[in-house]
Amino acid sequence: MSRRLTFRAPGIALRLDARTLWVSGALLLAALAAVTLTVVAVGIRLPLADIAEILRGGGRRADRFVLLDLRLPRVCLGLLTGAALAVSGAVFQSLSRNPLGSPDIVGFTTGSATGAVLAIVVFGAGPVGSAFAAVVGGIATALIVYGLTARGGGSVRRLVLVGIGIAAMLVAVNSYLISRARLDAAQSAAVWLVGTLNGRTWDYVRLLGIALAILTPPLLLLSRRLQMLAMGEDSARSLGVPVAGSRLSLMVLAVAICAVSTAATGPVAFVALAAPQVTRRLTRSPRVQLLPAAITGALLMVLSDFIAQRILAPAQLPVGVVTGAVGGAYLAWLLSVQWRKGNG
Amino acid sequence: MTSRLSGSDLTLAYDHHRRVVAEHLDVRIPDGSFTVIVGPNACGKSTLLRALSGLLAPRHGTVALDGAAISSYRAKEVARRLGLLAQSATAPEGISVADLVARGRYPHQRLLRQWTPEDEFQVARAMAATGVTELADRAVDELSGGQRQRVWMAMALAQQTDILLLDEPTTYLDIAYQIDLLDLCADLHEQGRTLVAVLHDLNQACRYATHLIAMKTGKIVAEGNPREIITAELVEDVYGLACQVIPDPQTHTPLVVPAARSARGARSAG
Ligand SMILES: Nc1ncnc2c1ncn2[C@@H]1O[C@H](COP(=O)(O)OP(=O)(O)OP(=O)(O)O)[C@@H](O)[C@H]1O
Ligand SMILES: [Mg+2]
């Protein structure tokens, strides 16, 4: 066990894990570095001095456009969605006691895409309509997966397996819908197959920011109950956690956070799965770490997007392609580890 | 006899009420008693404890805690008055002993008051009382069964409740630790706590209980002071085991000695 730091003041008595603190600090610095790298060097170079000049209100018009209208909103959206996916993933992994219980594995993000694709292909929805449909689609998928597993005990393993099945079906549904659509609708719907930050403006950042500002604080307040729920229903209950209500609130908030973030970018694979796991390995703490996981998620997302923009420059890959490739390898490794431990 | 914790006309069932474990069960835990529940496997002892602690909502009847239905309290309020050591609990993967015991303080903590000197003191005291202080930094899932059992006991102690329900607290413990733990329970009882423990060893039950409850298939068949109720007939009735009851040479409480195999007319092998 690592060292604990105790903070006491009148009315306040907290205890924090030393290693978690410095790991979080290091992650934060890394995220800051990744943001700087992206803003400076993702395409034409904008030296830091120029950036400072632009932020003070000066600079050349073209540079101002690149920084203020292209790069900054994009990197901000990356930070927000990365953090949101990570938090949602951490909550689900903890509740299901399984890394594979992540929203991106059990079909919630794919369900969001199905909602958006349906709205575009069938109802001819625009960007706002499809984002709204994505939120609805994600929540509906969660309800379906939960409904299918809640009966008969609602075992966790079943939730994961049913979710993986639903996810595969939804991928097929999405492809089918797009293949039957008119060309223009198919083009705008295809964006929803792989998550992307391409062409995202401040509007997206603002909307997602507001949604997260509403959804995240209650989730953080519930995080101690989330810790206690990891002890199993009976122990949590006998220590004073209202189990059913806490679990429901946590799930609703986590589903909503995942859905709004997917509405902004489309389904970005594996961040929700990997960020909490990476954080867990770095902090070596058995606790669920929502804030450190959020920082890791933001870092992973911004780094992935940097790679996505650089690797085939000037062509820009969707960030979901990069997270999919890296995350897929990570998933294969995780599965093989679980398999060997005999609880796959 | 006053009773802060009681159940009246309880029907206890699992699986959406399909598997009924007990019906019309009335039970009162005398205040300040060391109540021990005995009975054969699957007769409903753990189920009764779960109902008394509010974990299992009875299908019919009510469990009353301090004069009000236990279901009417907030979960945290119940946990400040009543603690439960469950029969099978699993610790989160990788959690350390000190962290697990500290979780017993949850019902006393608030968002900004999570680790007061009182919390620290009670956790240290609970670990010392159960002899797990040296294990503080070890991971719970790497401990032996008996060590783990003592850690869970420490967690329940750290909760500092007036009423403590213990489901088979002596399982996995070697004979010395069993006696240690029962002595610890007796100390707590002397300090004024109300204890309810499920035990399988009738002789230990007779030595330590001030109030004994004998159960059989969901019913209470006898209760009272063990010296008065434990007889060969009762044991035969509850467990279907022929035996002799003699005074314990140390404590003069009843000592149950199972009849020899030959006297029971045991089946011959093959
Ligand atoms: N979670 C459950 N779901 C369904 N049935 C259960 C559950 N727990 C216990 N039962 C059933 O209820 C009955 C009583 O079980 P209980 O655990 O109360 O027995 P017990 O007296 O504590 O036994 P033991 O001495 O073995 O611990 C048994 O028939 C058991 O199969
Ligand atoms: Mg039992």
Side-chain angles (χ1 to χ4, degrees):
Chain A
M1 193 183 68
S2 83
R3 230 156 38 81
R4 293 307 193 74
L5 305 174
T6 306
F7 296 99
R8 294 210 179 108
I12 296 180
L14 297 174
R15 188 167 63 146
L16 299 169
D17 184 69
R19 186 181 169 98
T20 302
L21 276 183
W22 71 254
V23 166
S24 303
L27 284 167
L28 209 54
L29 286 180
L32 207 65
V35 167
T36 314
L37 181 70
T38 304
V39 171
V40 170
V42 80
I44 37 164
R45 277 182 65 87
L46 285 180
L48 279 176
D50 290 9
I51 289 178
E53 181 63 32
I54 293 170
L55 291 180
R56 275 199 301 272
R60 290 189 302 140
R61 257 188 86 161
D63 288 350
R64 286 185 65 82
F65 176 74
V66 165
L67 180 70
L68 297 179
D69 293 332
L70 296 181
R71 291 187 187 173
L72 276 186
R74 181 178 185 136
V75 84
C76 286
L77 193 68
L79 288 172
L80 284 182
T81 50
L85 286 173
V87 166
S88 166
V91 170
F92 269 100
Q93 290 177 5
S94 173
L95 286 177
S96 68
R97 293 185 173 205
N98 188 336
L100 296 181
S102 310
D104 44 358
I105 303 289
V106 297
F108 300 169
T109 54
T110 321
S112 288
T114 305
V117 170
L118 260 180
I120 294 170
V121 172
V122 179
F123 302 104
V128 177
S130 57
F132 183 73
V135 174
V136 175
I139 293 173
T141 310
L143 284 177
I144 291 171
V145 172
Y146 188 70
L148 283 176
T149 50
R151 254 189 292 153
S155 99
V156 170
R157 182 172 301 202
R158 268 183 60 201
L159 188 133
V160 172
L161 293 178
V162 168
I164 290 175
I166 297 273
M169 280 165 55
L170 289 174
V171 168
V173 168
N174 293 355
S175 308
Y176 173 77
L177 282 174
I178 289 177
S179 72
R180 301 306 304 266
R182 283 179 301 113
L183 192 60
D184 56 334
Q187 258 174 1
S188 50
V191 187
W192 283 94
L193 290 183
V194 182
T196 180
L197 294 168
N198 291 349
R200 295 300 190 256
T201 57
W202 284 115
D203 288 340
Y204 287 85
V205 178
R206 224 167 281 135
L207 282 175
L208 182 61
I210 292 171
L212 292 180
I214 295 169
L215 294 169
T216 320
L219 190 71
L220 293 179
L221 288 180
L222 285 172
S223 71
R224 268 171 63 74
R225 294 195 186 169
L226 183 64
Q227 280 333 327
M228 299 300 287
L229 285 174
M231 305 182 65
E233 235 172 79
D234 279 9
S235 299
R237 179 71 216 246
S238 62
L239 288 172
V241 178
V243 171
S246 309
R247 185 184 291 152
L248 187 68
S249 326
L250 281 161
M251 278 209 288
V252 167
L253 288 168
V255 166
I257 284 176
C258 175
V260 293
S261 126
T262 306
T265 60
V268 177
F270 294 115
V271 173
L273 168 80
Q277 293 297 314
V278 170
T279 311
R280 196 188 157 112
R281 292 205 152 68
L282 290 177
T283 59
R284 292 197 201 134
S285 162
R287 304 167 68 86
V288 208
Q289 313 267 17
L290 293 186
L291 284 177
I295 304 173
T296 310
L299 170 65
L300 285 180
M301 192 76 151
V302 172
L303 269 186
S304 300
D305 193 42
F306 179 76
I307 297 171
Q309 294 181 74
R310 284 301 296 261
I311 200 163
L312 294 179
Q316 296 189 337
L317 279 180
V319 65
V321 171
V322 174
T323 60
V326 178
Y330 182 74
L331 177 65
W333 176 81
L334 193 70
L335 279 173
S336 78
V337 169
Q338 283 216 336
W339 201 268
R340 250 176 289 141
K341 277 203 310 192
N343 59 3
Chain B
M1 152 184 116
T2 56
S3 169
R4 293 179 61 188
L5 182 65
S6 65
S8 56
D9 200 16
L10 299 177
T11 300
L12 307 176
Y14 286 105
D15 292 340
H16 298 280
H17 311 324
R18 253 174 274 139
R19 190 197 306 261
V20 175
V21 177
E23 276 179 304
H24 306 300
L25 186 64
D26 287 298
V27 58
R28 288 164 67 81
I29 307 300
D31 285 345
S33 69
F34 186 166
T35 297
V36 173
I37 303 176
V38 297
N41 287 140
C43 73
K45 304 178 298 292
S46 299
T47 306
L48 176 60
L49 238 50
R50 283 166 52 86
L52 286 176
S53 58
L55 293 191
L56 178 75
R59 176 182 171 184
H60 183 267
T62 43
V63 171
L65 172 65
D66 290 328
I70 199 166
S71 52
S72 67
Y73 290 88
R74 287 179 47 232
K76 236 177 174 172
E77 187 55 46
V78 173
R80 281 189 217 119
R81 302 178 189 215
L82 177 156
L84 170 72
L85 173 69
Q87 187 171 2
S88 52
T90 46
E93 208 182 317
I95 193 172
S96 72
V97 168
D99 279 358
L100 188 70
V101 177
R103 293 197 173 187
R105 298 300 299 164
Y106 178 80
H108 304 279
Q109 295 168 336
R110 272 172 290 141
L111 190 62
L112 291 178
R113 297 182 63 79
Q114 300 183 3
W115 195 239
T116 60
E118 169 77 3
D119 293 328
E120 204 168 333
F121 171 73
Q122 293 296 353
V123 167
R125 193 163 88 157
M127 292 206 296
T130 49
V132 297
T133 309
E134 316 81 74
L135 305 175
D137 291 343
R138 300 268 301 273
V140 175
D141 34 23
E142 290 165 4
L143 299 179
S144 80
Q147 290 174 323
R148 216 175 295 165
Q149 183 73 9
R150 284 185 282 134
V151 171
W152 284 105
M153 181 70 191
M155 190 192 83
L157 281 184
Q159 206 175 329
Q160 280 283 303
T161 54
D162 289 344
I163 305 172
L164 198 50
L165 311 182
L166 308 169
D167 199 347
E168 302 194 20
T170 52
T171 39
Y172 300 112
L173 300 187
D174 69 40
I175 181 81
Y177 272 125
Q178 289 185 23
I179 299 301
D180 267 3
L181 188 122
L182 289 167
D183 284 347
L184 172 64
C185 291
D187 287 345
L188 294 169
H189 170 242
E190 273 162 26
Q191 290 158 21
R193 311 256 202 118
T194 302
L195 271 82
V196 183
V198 172
L199 295 179
H200 277 302
D201 187 317
L202 291 177
N203 300 327
Q204 290 177 351
C206 289
R207 273 193 178 192
Y208 287 89
T210 61
H211 186 80
L212 189 74
I213 295 179
M215 283 182 75
K216 181 184 162 186
T217 54
K219 293 198 169 49
I220 295 181
V221 289
E223 65 179 313
N225 189 308
R227 292 173 197 252
E228 286 153 20
I229 65 165
I230 286 291
T231 59
E233 292 73 44
L234 181 74
V235 177
E236 168 108 47
D237 174 32
V238 170
Y239 291 94
L241 176 73
C243 67
Q244 195 186 349
V245 175
I246 56 172
D248 186 315
Q250 290 280 323
T251 55
H252 309 293
T253 51
L255 185 71
V256 177
V257 185
R261 194 160 168 260
S262 53
R264 280 183 280 127
R267 283 168 297 139
S268 58

